Amino acid sequence: MYLGDVSWPEAGTHLDATDVALVPVGSTEQHGPHLPLSTDHVIAEGLAREAADRAGVVCTPTITVGVSPHHRQFHGTMSVEAPVFRDYVESLSRSLVYQGIDRIVYVNAHGGNVEHLREVGRRLHEDGAAYAVEWMWDESIPDLVDDLFEQNGPHAGPKETSMVWYLADNVREDELADARDGGCPALEDIRTTYNGARLFYDAIENSDNGAFGDPTDATAAKGERLFEAASEQLADLAEWLAAQPWETLAPREHVRSRDESKR
């Protein structure tokens, strides 16, 4: 159930029925010449809404701007500073706790958000406010992603192109070949590390047009397969969280000293 669509009395009924909220989190950033800036938050919201309905939990409105400084050179990219993003997500999460939610899944579709969402989860867990976890859609179905695409790519490649094609039918088909040829179709062709050191900061250092992988391998049908599989994984996670006794999720007490344990 999507909270933004209901009245406050209706929201109260739904919130009384569950302890779990799905919070879709994406970005507004370049995704090559063939995909919209909204790619990540379109994917996150689509998955969160679907899984919430399947699992009988609530879905919040979407966080549409994330931590994206590594795409700053491309027109239209928006980003917030990491500490601001963390504080915002934490504040939003604590407002959910006030409404009776104590289990949160950040339904994430942007790699730049990962470490910051996990840090927010740690903050909430340390003081026992909520059990909050970051969930990245493609990491829930890695075998399927590998099976569907020869040259996947971590950003603006065929997996994201397929998902946007299925969810929003918002792919510039005439730009697919240029996205591949003017980007970085094969990651093995570029040097990204040297003796364990990461050698780049921004996407443009490795891809002139911001795309990675071969988006010409994308189809809406493949996007549907990805969406169905990832939605199932997310709904199962939400149902599992709902079934856990709070004692198994809450932070553990400090280890007792030997002297204390003898008392």
Side-chain angles (χ1 to χ4, degrees):
M1 189 279 303
Y2 179 66
L3 277 173
D5 286 342
V6 300
S7 68
W8 73 260
E10 293 166 341
T13 300
H14 290 291
L15 288 164
D16 284 345
T18 186
D19 299 320
V20 180
L22 307 185
V23 180
V25 190
S27 69
T28 300
E29 64 181 24
Q30 74 84 16
H31 276 79
H34 62 298
L35 289 177
L37 300 173
S38 62
T39 289
D40 286 343
H41 65 255
V42 164
I43 293 172
E45 182 171 325
L47 289 167
R49 281 180 177 248
E50 177 68 20
D53 288 343
R54 293 188 187 188
V57 302
V58 297
C59 173
T60 73
T62 304
I63 299 173
T64 58
V65 177
V67 183
S68 303
H70 48 299
H71 295 293
R72 60 196 167 91
Q73 290 90 350
F74 295 95
H75 302 307
T77 293
M78 286 176 259
S79 181
V80 293
E81 294 180 356
V84 176
F85 176 78
R86 290 193 296 265
D87 288 347
Y88 177 86
V89 176
E90 180 180 356
S91 183
L92 169 63
S93 300
R94 291 189 185 278
S95 75
L96 290 171
V97 171
Y98 180 77
Q99 299 287 334
I101 295 295
D102 62 14
R103 299 129 210 257
I104 300 169
V105 179
Y106 302 121
V107 180
N108 184 32
H110 173 51
N113 295 335
V114 171
E115 63 182 294
H116 309 296
L117 294 171
R118 291 177 179 174
E119 171 59 25
V120 172
R122 172 169 288 280
R123 293 182 189 178
L124 296 168
H125 187 254
E126 284 181 349
D127 64 10
Y131 187 84
V133 294
E134 181 269 341
W135 178 86
M136 190 75 169
W137 72 271
D138 56 321
E139 293 182 2
S140 75
I141 50 171
D143 292 340
L144 178 59
V145 172
D146 287 343
D147 289 344
L148 287 179
F149 309 113
E150 291 294 327
Q151 291 181 303
N152 182 28
H155 182 80
K159 66 183 178 186
E160 289 186 321
T161 304
S162 294
M163 285 284 273
V164 170
W165 215 327
Y166 171 66
L167 286 169
D169 193 19
N170 193 8
V171 175
R172 284 77 176 156
E173 297 181 52
D174 57 343
E175 295 284 355
L176 289 173
D178 287 342
R180 176 197 61 202
D181 299 338
C184 176
L187 293 181
E188 60 268 21
D189 291 343
I190 59 174
R191 168 169 274 181
T192 58
T193 63
Y194 190 90
N195 290 353
R198 178 169 163 161
L199 300 179
F200 67 96
Y201 286 94
D202 297 330
I204 200 170
E205 296 170 41
N206 295 317
S207 173
D208 290 338
N209 66 13
F212 295 82
D214 181 6
T216 66
D217 196 19
T219 67
K222 290 180 180 180
E224 183 176 13
R225 289 184 62 186
L226 294 171
F227 180 79
E228 287 299 321
S231 295
E232 181 179 353
Q233 293 290 304
L234 180 55
D236 183 68
L237 171 61
E239 291 170 351
W240 178 85
L241 276 176
Q244 301 311 299
W246 174 250
E247 292 75 19
T248 66
L249 302 176
R252 305 299 172 88
E253 294 183 0
H254 193 283
V255 175
R256 298 174 65 183
S257 68
R258 292 181 179 178
D259 290 340
E260 287 177 322
S261 62
K262 294 177 181 178
R263 295 174 188 170

